[in-house]
């Protein structure tokens, strides 16, 4: 899952929604639509076209899928901001960082 960690480090983020649950968001240039569709096919989640910026946004909200990804991505996230987001999500879902 190094490939996914790289996408999150470069063009994504993990955030806590107002409900207290976490989501994983990755924004792709519209020219990378096939890559976004491959990520969706492999992981689930939703794709939305972002109007006026030629981008497509991948969103994963499902609790079970988030926990599964936290376990697979553990130790692979490299950028400081994403590491802090990752740690918060791990704490929320009981995944040891």
């Amino acid at each position: 899952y190094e490939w996914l960690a790289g996408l999150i480090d470069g063009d994504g983020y993990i955030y806590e929604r107002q409900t207290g649950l976490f989501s994983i968001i990755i924004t792709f240039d519209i020219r990378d639509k096939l890559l976004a569709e491959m990520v969706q096919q492999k992981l689930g989640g939703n794709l939305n076209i972002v109007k006026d910026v030629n981008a497509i946004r991948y969103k994963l909200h499902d609790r079970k899928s988030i926990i599964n990804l936290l376990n697979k991505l553990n130790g692979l996230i490299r950028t400081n901001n994403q590491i802090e987001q990752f740690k918060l999500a791990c704490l929320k879902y009981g995944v040891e960082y």
Side-chain angles (χ1 to χ4, degrees):
Y1 283 79
E2 291 88 357
W3 61 274
L4 183 58
L7 284 172
I8 293 170
D9 276 337
D11 294 313
Y13 57 97
I14 302 166
Y15 81 100
E16 186 173 10
R17 297 179 285 163
Q18 291 179 344
T19 61
L21 301 175
F22 281 80
S23 295
I24 295 176
I25 309 292
I26 304 170
T27 303
F28 297 86
D29 185 283
I30 197 69
R31 294 172 291 185
D32 293 324
K33 183 180 179 190
L34 288 177
L35 176 59
E37 290 171 345
M38 287 174 28
V39 170
Q40 181 190 31
Q41 183 179 15
K42 184 164 182 72
L43 305 175
N46 301 311
L47 291 176
N48 299 324
I49 301 289
V50 181
K51 295 182 180 184
D52 300 328
V53 292
N54 292 324
I56 188 164
R57 186 164 289 142
Y58 169 77
K59 298 179 182 179
L60 182 66
H61 302 294
D62 177 64
R63 184 180 198 279
K64 184 179 175 183
S65 298
I66 296 286
I67 292 170
N68 182 42
L69 279 181
L70 290 174
N71 284 301
K72 293 185 182 306
L73 294 171
N74 212 337
L76 300 176
I77 302 294
R78 298 289 179 239
T79 57
N80 289 334
N81 191 39
Q82 279 78 357
I83 288 171
E84 292 307 312
Q85 295 167 354
F86 189 86
K87 286 179 179 178
L88 288 173
C90 286
L91 182 64
K92 173 69 175 188
Y93 292 118
V95 174
E96 185 178 345
Y97 176 73

